[in-house]
Amino acid sequence: MLIDDLDIQDTAQAQPLRPPGQQVFARRAERLARLADGHSMAGYLQLCAAIARAQQQLFDALAAQAVHDIAALRELLSRLQQALGDTLPATSQQALHCLLALDDDALQLAAAQLRDGLPAANPASQAGLPLLGAAMQIQAVITARQRDLGSLRPDESSQCPVCHAPPVASVLRRGDSGHAVRFACCSQCASEWHISRV
């Protein structure tokens, strides 16, 4: 169960679609930092927490801007690299340079392949793909929060009704009645849509 953005004071209303929260990345960073304490993979979890903190900073700075195009994705990737600095391993830094050197069409293709779960066309950029994914998440969360989600009518499909990415997990949200409602969580924009419990 994914609980990195679970807002304890929220109640599960009968709404079929829930937008991503304003603190989605900050909550993720807090959870990763807690998990890192005493964990055998503490270094990796702390790096993931640092990435999530950088994502939140960029989200906070850019939440009101239009970030849906490839130029914005390139800018997000570059700003993530700057925000993380020496926190990133050398191989990731080199791979990010390779990604940022791509022309717009090639960067768009790399993003599409990552989203579709396909291997990178350029092996030299492989170590930079987690950061490309992180930039894509910021882009998707901002775009989702700027959309009028009231016009969307989600079904119980395997794709997010907001950005069409696959779900990463599901959560149970308990309402005032005490009954839990199940929501699938988008792997990209962090929106949630109602799905029936088995």
Side-chain angles (χ1 to χ4, degrees), residues 137-158:
Q137 286 180 334
I138 301 166
Q139 186 179 47
V141 170
I142 291 173
T143 302
R145 288 189 57 82
Q146 292 172 348
R147 286 188 66 179
D148 175 15
L149 302 187
S151 62
L152 297 177
R153 294 292 173 258
D155 57 21
E156 295 195 18
S157 72
S158 59

Side-chain angles (χ1 to χ4, degrees), residues 170-189:
S170 67
V171 294
L172 295 176
R173 295 199 179 269
R174 195 165 305 280
D176 293 332
S177 67
H179 296 291
V181 180
R182 184 176 178 221
F183 290 87
C185 305
C186 180
S187 59
Q188 188 160 284
C189 76

Side-chain angles (χ1 to χ4, degrees), residues 52-81:
R53 281 191 291 273
Q55 286 177 296
Q56 186 67 50
Q57 290 170 0
L58 289 177
F59 170 82
D60 291 341
L62 302 171
Q65 298 183 25
V67 296
H68 59 273
D69 61 13
I70 192 63
L73 180 61
R74 183 183 298 280
E75 177 68 16
L76 284 167
L77 188 59
S78 177
R79 289 176 72 163
L80 263 179
Q81 182 185 30

Side-chain angles (χ1 to χ4, degrees), residues 11-35:
T11 56
Q13 304 297 325
Q15 61 192 73
L17 182 59
R18 297 170 58 94
Q22 287 185 328
Q23 297 296 312
V24 61
F25 300 116
R27 289 196 177 120
R28 191 169 296 162
E30 289 170 10
R31 178 159 172 73
L32 287 162
R34 281 196 309 271
L35 289 172

